[in-house]
Structure formats: structure tokens, C-alpha cells
């Protein structure tokens, strides 16, 4: 068996090998294919029509009008032609020049060219930062002592006659707001009292503390009538819903709990935070509950569903204070990095209030738009709510016999009129501040330099 082998001449074999090598190495795959001029032209025309379609049609119309005028216009002296060409610019000018009647400038909207006389678009002026409202400076009016430990919480009653404070001495004290005299002391907590709220519809005072207890006090008998059991660790803050009989508490177990005031039922347990919930606020409108946590987030909650609607992660450090403006639909949150303002209901960021370089433990706002932030080092910063202008800075003075390190503000609130500010401090005192009646805009002018980059986000 012998297979027939097709014999080629050496010349043919060499030629075929050369051809294969030639074909292999001639085609350089790294080079781009040759440009197809027709395809490129088509691509450019499609892009131009897509991006500049309206303007291109307007330019073509303007050029057609210009050509018609050039044909119908009589011969003019050379110097007039020069003046016209200078006024017109180039051949690609969008506006046709008419020496007889000056037509209103043409603007180009979505429906093509429109005369400025009908729907002219006014030129946009750069947004000017609004000038802050003048606020009188605040000064210390009264110092009240009586607690035997850090005073951690304060609440003013709706009638504006008295206020309550809770402290590390486990006692809740009720003080006369006008005179600063002690009215009554309530004992029952076995650890620091961290939160207080007075009900506007019932003669009830609510308190919470590091003993995991949430108590409801009947102020007609000065006795505890209800306990709300459920928190697994210290309860740091509480808030009453303004329109329905619901109490919200939050604390170190990273949850906020919603309670029925009357039946003591735990309606919802709001879970989602990963660290201590240190700040809490309630309002009648959505979001009805706002919480701030040491996990540096703020959550807006749907009260009906018991679920988180939104999480704001702008803060870089723990959020220890949240305050809702009494009339505007906005709220502020405080963290050691800065104070931020937000728009309800979606939690849209408005602006930063930077400058209070301390651990901000508490904030308060009054109807005149004065926002106060209190720091762990005893500093108080006063801000204009609308513009974020810092119009006053105070350092709280410690009472005689205390160390300077005991200058720390733990909680604060305005009274119902917004004219007195009550702060509770680490030197075991309560301080009341009032506006300086002798101050005026001349004696304390607004030293305001708006930053170019700081714009309103409304």
C-alpha cells in the first residue's frame, strides 16, 4: 500500500510558504480600520441635530432672512457696509440686523425662536445669600443650684409657670420659672434621670433614666401611675407626640420604642440603628419621628408602619441632638463635625452651621429663629436659623467651688415664650439666660461676611 503523494516543485512550495508568511504579517491588527468618510459625516450630522437641532434651524432661518434682505437692499456706500458688517459680526450671526426698526432680541425655547417682548427669559442673577436677621445677644440672668449631681434633662410645662429638671442624683425637681424657687422633688428613679417631658393634654410628667425605667408621673398626686417596660438598657431620651397620646423613648439598646400612653402597650419597636440612639424628636407632620444615633446616622420614621422611611448619612460623627423648628417645616441635627439643617418630609439637606468645635450635647430653637447649641466643654453658640449666621458665643461659667472641667452643658430648652433659655450643666446648676434689653443693632452690629460657596439649597 503506497499512498500517492502529490509532488510539487520546490518553487511552488517556497512560493506558498512566502505567501502564508506575507498574509500573516501584513495585516497589523493593532491599527484602526480606515475611516469611512460617509459614516463619519452621518454620525456628525446626527449628533449635531440631536444637540443643536433647535439652534441650527434658527440659524438657518436667520441666514435666509439675511440673504433676502441683502438681495432686496439697494446699494449703500462703502462706509455704511463697513458699519453694518461690524454691527452684524460674522456671517454666522444668529440675529438679523435691521437698520430701520430694531427688533426685540430673539430667544430660543423648546418651541423654536420667540421674541423677547412676549416671553423673554430674564438673565439669571447670581443667588445672593440673604442677610441675617438681627437678634439681641443673650446674657446670664439666674443660676439655680439644688441638685447633687450632673443635671441631665429639663422640660418646661405648657402653662409656662414651672419647669422640671432631672439629674444624676436620681431626683426630679420642679422649679418655679419666675422666681427660681424649688416647688417639689420627685424620687423614684434608681439611676440618672436622662429625659423629661410634660404632657400638654394631661397633668402628666414623663421621665426616663439609666435604670431602664420609663415612668409616668401624675402631677396632681406627685406619684408614679405607670411604668413602660421593654428597654434592654439605659433610656437616654424621650418625646411626646404633639397630637396623639403616644410616647416615644430611645436609648442605649439602639432602638426607639413607641408606647400607648394610656394602655402602656409597646406599639412599635423601631430598629435599624446600630448604636445608641441619643436624640429623638416628634412632630405632627411627616416624618412624625426623627432619631439621631451614635452610629452617625439620622433616621426618619413612618409612625403608622413602624418602619424607617429614610436614613441620612451626612454626619461623620455621632448625632447627639435633634431639634425641630416650631413654625418652619425643617429640623437641625448636631454632631461634633458640624450642625446640619434639613427640610422635611424627605430630609433634604439645606446647609451646614460650622464652627462649634465641641461635642454638641443639646440644641434649642425659639419661634424668632434663634438656634442655640450647647457643648460638652461649656460653650454655647447662638445662630440665626435662616442664614446660619453665628451671632454670639458664650462660655458658661462654673459655680464657685467647681473645677473648670465641670463646664459642660447637657440639656437646654426655651420656655414657651421663647424669651428665656434654660440650660442644665455639669457643675450641678441650672442657668437661665435672657436677651440683653439694652442691646441694639448699633451697639451689637451684624458682622456678616457671606461665603461665596454657601448657597441656600431650597
Amino acid at each position: 500500500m503506497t499512498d500517492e503523494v502529490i509532488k510539487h516543485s520546490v518553487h511552488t512550495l517556497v512560493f506558498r510558504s512566502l505567501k502564508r508568511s506575507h498574509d500573516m504579517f501584513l495585516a497589523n491588527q493593532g491599527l484602526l480600520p480606515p475611516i469611512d468618510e460617509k459614516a463619519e459625516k452621518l454620525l456628525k450630522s446626527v449628533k449635531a441635530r440631536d444637540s443643536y437641532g433647535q439652534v441650527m434651524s434658527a440659524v438657518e432661518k436667520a441666514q435666509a432672512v439675511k440673504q433676502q434682505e441683502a438681495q432686496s437692499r439697494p446699494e449703500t456706500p462703502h462706509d455704511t457696509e463697513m458699519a453694518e458688517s461690524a454691527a452684524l459680526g460674522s456671517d454666522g450671526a444668529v440675529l438679523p440686523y435691521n437698520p430701520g426698526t430694531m427688533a426685540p432680541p430673539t430667544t430660543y425655547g423648546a418651541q423654536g425662536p420667540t421674541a423677547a417682548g412676549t416671553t423673554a427669559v430674564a438673565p439669571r442673577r447670581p443667588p445672593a445669600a440673604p442677610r441675617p436677621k438681627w437678634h439681641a445677644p443673650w446674657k446670664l440672668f439666674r443660676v439655680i443650684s439644688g441638685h447633687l449631681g450632673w443635671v441631665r434633662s429639663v422640660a418646661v410645662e405648657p402653662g409656662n409657670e414651672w419647669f422640671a429638671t432631672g439629674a444624676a442624683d436620681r431626683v426630679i425637681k420642679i422649679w418655679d420659672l419666675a422666681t427660681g424657687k424649688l416647688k417639689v422633688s420627685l424620687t423614684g428613679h434608681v439611676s440618672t434621670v436622662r429625659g423629661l417631658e410634660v404632657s400638654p393634654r394631661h397633668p402628666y410628667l414623663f421621665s426616663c433614666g439609666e435604670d431602664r425605667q420609663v415612668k409616668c408621673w401624675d402631677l396632681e398626686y406627685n406619684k408614679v401611675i405607670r411604668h413602660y417596660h421593654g428597654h434592654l438598657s439605659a433610656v437616654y431620651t424621650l418625646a411626646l407626640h404633639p397630637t396623639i397620646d403616644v410616647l416615644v423613648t430611645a436609648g442605649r439598646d439602639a432602638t426607639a420604642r413607641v408606647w400607648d400612653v394610656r394602655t402602656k402597650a409597646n406599639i412599635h419597636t423601631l430598629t435599624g440603628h446600630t448604636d445608641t440612639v441619643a436624640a429623638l424628636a416628634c412632630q405632627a407632620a411627616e416624618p412624625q419621628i426623627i432619631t439621631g444615633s451614635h452610629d452617625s446616622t439620622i433616621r426618619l420614621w413612618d409612625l403608622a408602619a413602624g418602619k424607617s422611611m429614610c436614613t441620612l448619612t451626612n454626619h461623620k460623627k455621632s448625632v447627639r441632638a435633634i431639634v425641630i423648628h416650631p413654625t418652619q417645616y425643617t429640623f437641625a441635627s448636631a454632631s461634633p463635625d458640624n450642625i446640619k439643617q434639613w427640610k422635611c418630609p424627605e430630609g433634604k439637606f439645606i446647609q451646614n452651621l460650622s464652627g462649634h468645635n465641641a461635642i454638641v450635647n443639646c440644641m434649642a430653637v425659639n419661634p424668632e429663629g434663634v438656634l442655640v447649641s450647647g457643648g460638652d466643654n461649656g460653650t454655647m453658640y447662638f445662630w440665626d436659623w435662616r442664614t446660619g449666621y453665628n451671632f454670639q458665643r458664650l462660655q458658661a461659667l462654673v459655680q464657685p467651688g467647681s473645677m473648670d472641667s465641670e463646664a459642660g452643658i447637657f440639656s437646654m430648652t426655651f420656655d414657651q415664650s421663647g424669651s428665656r433659655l434654660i440650660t442644665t450643666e455639669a457643675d450641678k446648676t441650672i442657668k437661665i439666660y435672657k436677651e440683653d434689653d439694652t442691646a441694639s443693632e448699633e451697639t451689637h452690629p451684624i458682622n456678616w461676611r457671606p461665603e461665596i460657596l454657601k448657597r441656600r439649597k431650597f
Side-chain angles (χ1 to χ4, degrees):
M1 286 177 64
T2 56
D3 291 336
E4 288 188 12
V5 178
I6 302 170
K7 294 180 181 177
H8 293 287
S9 65
V10 176
H11 180 271
T12 306
L13 293 172
V14 168
F15 181 76
R16 283 184 181 174
S17 177
L18 278 170
K19 189 172 185 311
R20 276 199 298 274
S21 301
H22 179 267
D23 290 345
M24 182 182 294
F25 293 109
L26 177 69
N28 188 347
Q29 309 299 334
L31 291 176
L32 292 170
I35 294 169
D36 185 347
E37 290 183 6
K38 188 178 176 185
E40 281 290 304
K41 203 170 180 182
L42 190 65
L43 176 69
K44 282 182 182 173
S45 68
V46 168
K47 273 193 172 180
R49 192 174 69 237
D50 182 48
S51 301
Y52 308 107
Q54 297 168 353
V55 181
M56 283 170 67
S57 63
V59 170
E60 285 166 7
K61 285 177 186 172
Q63 284 180 340
V65 169
K66 189 179 73 171
Q67 285 173 0
Q68 285 177 0
E69 286 184 355
Q71 289 169 2
S72 60
R73 192 186 302 141
E75 290 296 321
T76 54
H78 183 65
D79 57 346
T80 315
E81 285 179 10
M82 293 269 288
E84 282 180 6
S85 64
L88 191 60
S90 64
D91 285 347
V94 175
L95 303 178
Y97 174 70
N98 189 345
T101 58
M102 188 63 192
T106 310
T107 56
Y108 299 100
Q111 280 76 35
T114 58
T118 55
T119 56
V121 179
R124 277 192 68 183
R125 288 200 302 270
R131 184 173 175 77
K133 180 184 170 187
W134 182 81
H135 300 285
W138 293 69
K139 63 179 183 180
L140 183 62
F141 166 66
R142 176 175 283 144
V143 180
I144 302 169
S145 57
H147 278 292
L148 303 176
W150 288 355
V151 191
R152 301 297 305 235
S153 52
V154 62
V156 180
E157 67 106 9
N160 214 32
E161 290 180 1
W162 53 265
F163 67 95
T165 55
D169 59 5
R170 311 186 296 278
V171 179
I172 298 165
K173 289 182 183 285
I174 292 176
W175 311 85
D176 187 276
L177 186 57
T179 62
K181 296 261 173 39
L182 180 65
K183 288 166 78 87
V184 69
S185 294
L186 305 175
T187 56
H189 279 281
V190 294
S191 189
T192 305
V193 181
R194 291 294 293 259
L196 289 171
E197 279 282 333
V198 186
S199 171
R201 286 190 303 281
H202 310 287
Y204 294 161
L205 170 71
F206 296 88
S207 64
C208 66
E210 291 179 8
D211 51 10
R212 298 181 295 190
Q213 294 184 27
V214 181
K215 296 175 185 282
C216 173
W217 303 78
D218 188 326
L219 295 171
E220 290 177 346
Y221 301 98
N222 293 338
K223 284 192 170 65
V224 177
I225 56 168
R226 296 188 188 101
H227 283 95
Y228 302 88
H229 295 288
H231 276 286
L232 306 175
S233 191
V235 189
Y236 280 176
T237 178
L238 81 168
L240 278 168
H241 194 284
T243 56
I244 54 177
D245 286 342
V246 157
L247 172 70
V248 188
T249 59
R252 209 162 59 196
D253 57 3
T255 65
R257 291 174 189 265
V258 182
W259 310 90
D260 185 313
V261 167
R262 194 174 57 81
T263 66
K264 302 180 286 187
N266 187 179
I267 303 165
H268 294 304
T269 302
L270 309 177
T271 56
H273 284 295
T274 57
D275 205 341
T276 302
V277 181
L280 177 64
C282 279
Q283 62 179 357
E286 292 295 338
Q288 293 182 54
I289 301 172
I290 305 166
T291 57
S293 167
H294 286 191
D295 63 10
S296 73
T297 65
I298 299 160
R299 283 179 182 260
L300 315 181
W301 301 88
D302 181 346
L303 178 58
K307 290 194 170 63
S308 176
M309 293 160 48
C310 172
T311 306
L312 310 175
T313 58
N314 301 43
H315 281 293
K316 300 291 179 287
K317 294 184 180 177
S318 57
V319 181
R320 290 168 186 258
I322 286 173
V323 68
I324 297 171
H325 194 281
T327 54
Q328 295 176 20
Y329 199 27
T330 54
F331 70 95
S333 59
S335 171
D337 51 7
N338 50 33
I339 298 164
K340 294 179 188 289
Q341 286 179 339
W342 313 86
K343 202 171 185 345
C344 298
E346 71 280 2
K348 184 182 172 191
F349 175 74
I350 300 171
Q351 66 178 352
N352 278 327
L353 277 61
S354 300
H356 198 169
N357 299 318
I359 296 171
V360 180
N361 283 328
C362 51
M363 288 194 300
V365 64
N366 71 1
E368 276 75 56
V370 175
L371 173 69
V372 192
S373 53
D376 216 35
N377 56 0
T379 53
M380 289 167 63
Y381 279 45
F382 294 78
W383 314 81
D384 177 48
W385 179 279
R386 182 161 151 269
T387 58
Y389 167 64
N390 177 211
F391 68 88
Q392 189 184 4
R393 299 178 182 188
L394 280 180
Q395 172 68 50
L397 298 171
V398 294
Q399 71 169 336
S402 300
M403 294 183 291
D404 288 340
S405 58
E406 286 187 290
I409 301 168
F410 289 124
S411 70
M412 60 170 53
T413 184
F414 283 100
D415 71 346
Q416 303 299 337
S417 67
S419 61
R420 283 173 287 195
L421 174 68
I422 306 165
T423 64
T424 66
E425 309 198 3
D427 64 354
K428 306 172 190 169
T429 64
I430 302 140
K431 295 188 173 79
I432 301 179
Y433 294 83
K434 273 189 170 180
E435 287 183 332
D436 189 350
D437 298 332
T438 60
S440 67
E441 206 160 346
E442 286 73 38
T443 59
H444 293 78
I446 295 173
N447 180 22
W448 181 64
R449 297 188 198 86
E451 300 168 26
I452 294 169
L453 297 175
K454 191 171 185 179
R455 301 285 190 221
R456 297 297 287 174
K457 298 295 190 299
F458 286 129

mmCIF file of all heavy atoms in Angstrom, residues 115-137:
data_model
loop_
_atom_site.group_PDB
_atom_site.id
_atom_site.type_symbol
_atom_site.label_atom_id
_atom_site.label_comp_id
_atom_site.label_asym_id
_atom_site.label_seq_id
_atom_site.Cartn_x
_atom_site.Cartn_y
_atom_site.Cartn_z
ATOM 1 N N ALA A 115 -39.900 86.016 20.390
ATOM 2 C CA ALA A 115 -39.451 87.385 20.617
ATOM 3 C C ALA A 115 -39.368 87.649 22.108
ATOM 4 O O ALA A 115 -40.200 87.191 22.880
ATOM 5 C CB ALA A 115 -40.416 88.367 19.969
ATOM 6 N N ALA A 116 -38.371 88.427 22.491
ATOM 7 C CA ALA A 116 -38.184 88.706 23.912
ATOM 8 C C ALA A 116 -39.305 89.545 24.468
ATOM 9 O O ALA A 116 -39.534 89.582 25.667
ATOM 10 C CB ALA A 116 -36.843 89.409 24.130
ATOM 11 N N GLY A 117 -40.020 90.268 23.611
ATOM 12 C CA GLY A 117 -41.131 91.086 24.075
ATOM 13 C C GLY A 117 -42.275 90.248 24.609
ATOM 14 O O GLY A 117 -43.040 90.709 25.450
ATOM 15 N N THR A 118 -42.426 89.004 24.112
ATOM 16 C CA THR A 118 -43.549 88.166 24.550
ATOM 17 C C THR A 118 -43.179 87.348 25.780
ATOM 18 O O THR A 118 -43.699 87.575 26.850
ATOM 19 C CB THR A 118 -43.986 87.250 23.392
ATOM 20 O OG1 THR A 118 -42.835 86.516 22.950
ATOM 21 C CG2 THR A 118 -44.564 88.056 22.266
ATOM 22 N N THR A 119 -42.253 86.403 25.650
ATOM 23 C CA THR A 119 -41.845 85.585 26.798
ATOM 24 C C THR A 119 -40.335 85.638 26.913
ATOM 25 O O THR A 119 -39.648 84.695 26.557
ATOM 26 C CB THR A 119 -42.317 84.128 26.630
ATOM 27 O OG1 THR A 119 -41.816 83.626 25.384
ATOM 28 C CG2 THR A 119 -43.822 84.026 26.687
ATOM 29 N N ALA A 120 -39.836 86.772 27.361
ATOM 30 C CA ALA A 120 -38.392 86.924 27.475
ATOM 31 C C ALA A 120 -37.907 86.221 28.738
ATOM 32 O O ALA A 120 -38.553 86.267 29.774
ATOM 33 C CB ALA A 120 -38.027 88.394 27.548
ATOM 34 N N VAL A 121 -36.773 85.535 28.629
ATOM 35 C CA VAL A 121 -36.155 84.893 29.781
ATOM 36 C C VAL A 121 -35.198 85.902 30.393
ATOM 37 O O VAL A 121 -34.245 86.322 29.750
ATOM 38 C CB VAL A 121 -35.406 83.607 29.361
ATOM 39 C CG1 VAL A 121 -34.752 82.978 30.581
ATOM 40 C CG2 VAL A 121 -36.365 82.652 28.696
ATOM 41 N N ALA A 122 -35.497 86.322 31.628
ATOM 42 C CA ALA A 122 -34.651 87.317 32.283
ATOM 43 C C ALA A 122 -33.295 86.703 32.593
ATOM 44 O O ALA A 122 -33.213 85.528 32.929
ATOM 45 C CB ALA A 122 -35.308 87.787 33.581
ATOM 46 N N PRO A 123 -32.229 87.478 32.456
ATOM 47 C CA PRO A 123 -30.900 86.927 32.758
ATOM 48 C C PRO A 123 -30.818 86.555 34.233
ATOM 49 O O PRO A 123 -31.305 87.283 35.102
ATOM 50 C CB PRO A 123 -29.948 88.084 32.429
ATOM 51 C CG PRO A 123 -30.799 89.313 32.489
ATOM 52 C CD PRO A 123 -32.169 88.892 32.076
ATOM 53 N N ARG A 124 -30.216 85.392 34.504
ATOM 54 C CA ARG A 124 -30.125 84.900 35.880
ATOM 55 C C ARG A 124 -29.077 85.675 36.656
ATOM 56 O O ARG A 124 -27.922 85.748 36.246
ATOM 57 C CB ARG A 124 -29.760 83.419 35.883
ATOM 58 C CG ARG A 124 -30.934 82.520 35.680
ATOM 59 C CD ARG A 124 -30.578 81.086 35.977
ATOM 60 N NE ARG A 124 -30.311 80.893 37.403
ATOM 61 C CZ ARG A 124 -29.921 79.745 37.913
ATOM 62 N NH1 ARG A 124 -29.744 78.710 37.138
ATOM 63 N NH2 ARG A 124 -29.694 79.619 39.196
ATOM 64 N N ARG A 125 -29.517 86.247 37.775
ATOM 65 C CA ARG A 125 -28.553 86.891 38.660
ATOM 66 C C ARG A 125 -27.971 85.838 39.589
ATOM 67 O O ARG A 125 -28.673 84.896 39.958
ATOM 68 C CB ARG A 125 -29.240 87.967 39.494
ATOM 69 C CG ARG A 125 -29.630 89.189 38.688
ATOM 70 C CD ARG A 125 -29.833 90.389 39.618
ATOM 71 N NE ARG A 125 -30.862 90.119 40.618
ATOM 72 C CZ ARG A 125 -32.145 90.391 40.417
ATOM 73 N NH1 ARG A 125 -32.552 90.906 39.278
ATOM 74 N NH2 ARG A 125 -33.030 90.132 41.370
ATOM 75 N N PRO A 126 -26.726 85.974 39.974
ATOM 76 C CA PRO A 126 -26.179 85.005 40.919
ATOM 77 C C PRO A 126 -26.943 85.080 42.234
ATOM 78 O O PRO A 126 -27.281 86.177 42.688
ATOM 79 C CB PRO A 126 -24.718 85.449 41.095
ATOM 80 C CG PRO A 126 -24.688 86.857 40.644
ATOM 81 C CD PRO A 126 -25.751 86.995 39.600
ATOM 82 N N PRO A 127 -27.264 83.930 42.843
ATOM 83 C CA PRO A 127 -28.071 83.962 44.063
ATOM 84 C C PRO A 127 -27.328 84.654 45.193
ATOM 85 O O PRO A 127 -26.186 84.312 45.490
ATOM 86 C CB PRO A 127 -28.311 82.488 44.376
ATOM 87 C CG PRO A 127 -27.235 81.756 43.656
ATOM 88 C CD PRO A 127 -26.888 82.577 42.453
ATOM 89 N N ALA A 128 -27.970 85.647 45.784
ATOM 90 C CA ALA A 128 -27.342 86.390 46.874
ATOM 91 C C ALA A 128 -27.746 85.739 48.196
ATOM 92 O O ALA A 128 -28.899 85.415 48.405
ATOM 93 C CB ALA A 128 -27.795 87.841 46.840
ATOM 94 N N ALA A 129 -26.775 85.523 49.071
ATOM 95 C CA ALA A 129 -27.079 84.954 50.384
ATOM 96 C C ALA A 129 -27.902 85.966 51.164
ATOM 97 O O ALA A 129 -27.546 87.138 51.225
ATOM 98 C CB ALA A 129 -25.777 84.636 51.120
ATOM 99 N N PRO A 130 -29.024 85.553 51.754
ATOM 100 C CA PRO A 130 -29.876 86.513 52.465
ATOM 101 C C PRO A 130 -29.180 87.060 53.701
ATOM 102 O O PRO A 130 -28.415 86.363 54.357
ATOM 103 C CB PRO A 130 -31.111 85.680 52.839
ATOM 104 C CG PRO A 130 -30.641 84.273 52.835
ATOM 105 C CD PRO A 130 -29.553 84.187 51.810
ATOM 106 N N ARG A 131 -29.460 88.321 54.014
ATOM 107 C CA ARG A 131 -28.845 88.947 55.178
ATOM 108 C C ARG A 131 -29.517 88.412 56.438
ATOM 109 O O ARG A 131 -30.738 88.323 56.515
ATOM 110 C CB ARG A 131 -29.017 90.461 55.090
ATOM 111 C CG ARG A 131 -28.316 91.212 56.217
ATOM 112 C CD ARG A 131 -28.364 92.704 55.984
ATOM 113 N NE ARG A 131 -27.798 93.430 57.115
ATOM 114 C CZ ARG A 131 -26.497 93.558 57.365
ATOM 115 N NH1 ARG A 131 -25.631 92.987 56.556
ATOM 116 N NH2 ARG A 131 -26.069 94.232 58.408
ATOM 117 N N PRO A 132 -28.722 88.052 57.461
ATOM 118 C CA PRO A 132 -29.341 87.502 58.671
ATOM 119 C C PRO A 132 -30.139 88.551 59.430
ATOM 120 O O PRO A 132 -29.833 89.741 59.410
ATOM 121 C CB PRO A 132 -28.135 87.016 59.497
ATOM 122 C CG PRO A 132 -26.973 87.745 58.962
ATOM 123 C CD PRO A 132 -27.260 88.046 57.530
ATOM 124 N N LYS A 133 -31.172 88.070 60.099
ATOM 125 C CA LYS A 133 -31.985 88.929 60.954
ATOM 126 C C LYS A 133 -31.185 89.260 62.213
ATOM 127 O O LYS A 133 -30.451 88.420 62.734
ATOM 128 C CB LYS A 133 -33.267 88.167 61.299
ATOM 129 C CG LYS A 133 -34.234 88.902 62.188
ATOM 130 C CD LYS A 133 -35.405 87.980 62.530
ATOM 131 C CE LYS A 133 -36.269 88.585 63.617
ATOM 132 N NZ LYS A 133 -37.300 87.650 64.070
ATOM 133 N N TRP A 134 -31.343 90.499 62.710
ATOM 134 C CA TRP A 134 -30.611 90.879 63.916
ATOM 135 C C TRP A 134 -31.294 90.281 65.135
ATOM 136 O O TRP A 134 -32.519 90.337 65.287
ATOM 137 C CB TRP A 134 -30.555 92.398 64.054
ATOM 138 C CG TRP A 134 -29.759 92.829 65.255
ATOM 139 C CD1 TRP A 134 -28.403 92.931 65.355
ATOM 140 C CD2 TRP A 134 -30.279 93.187 66.545
ATOM 141 N NE1 TRP A 134 -28.038 93.322 66.612
ATOM 142 C CE2 TRP A 134 -29.165 93.493 67.368
ATOM 143 C CE3 TRP A 134 -31.555 93.271 67.078
ATOM 144 C CZ2 TRP A 134 -29.307 93.888 68.695
ATOM 145 C CZ3 TRP A 134 -31.703 93.654 68.407
ATOM 146 C CH2 TRP A 134 -30.590 93.969 69.201
ATOM 147 N N HIS A 135 -30.500 89.650 65.995
ATOM 148 C CA HIS A 135 -31.001 89.120 67.261
ATOM 149 C C HIS A 135 -30.212 89.758 68.393
ATOM 150 O O HIS A 135 -28.985 89.928 68.290
ATOM 151 C CB HIS A 135 -30.828 87.600 67.332
ATOM 152 C CG HIS A 135 -31.550 86.860 66.256
ATOM 153 N ND1 HIS A 135 -32.911 86.680 66.248
ATOM 154 C CD2 HIS A 135 -31.093 86.248 65.137
ATOM 155 C CE1 HIS A 135 -33.266 85.994 65.180
ATOM 156 N NE2 HIS A 135 -32.189 85.715 64.488
ATOM 157 N N ALA A 136 -30.908 90.083 69.472
ATOM 158 C CA ALA A 136 -30.222 90.637 70.643
ATOM 159 C C ALA A 136 -29.337 89.569 71.271
ATOM 160 O O ALA A 136 -29.694 88.390 71.272
ATOM 161 C CB ALA A 136 -31.253 91.117 71.662
ATOM 162 N N PRO A 137 -28.179 89.965 71.795
ATOM 163 C CA PRO A 137 -27.323 88.976 72.472
ATOM 164 C C PRO A 137 -27.980 88.515 73.777
ATOM 165 O O PRO A 137 -28.790 89.223 74.371
ATOM 166 C CB PRO A 137 -26.029 89.748 72.743
ATOM 167 C CG PRO A 137 -26.427 91.181 72.733
ATOM 168 C CD PRO A 137 -27.585 91.303 71.789
#
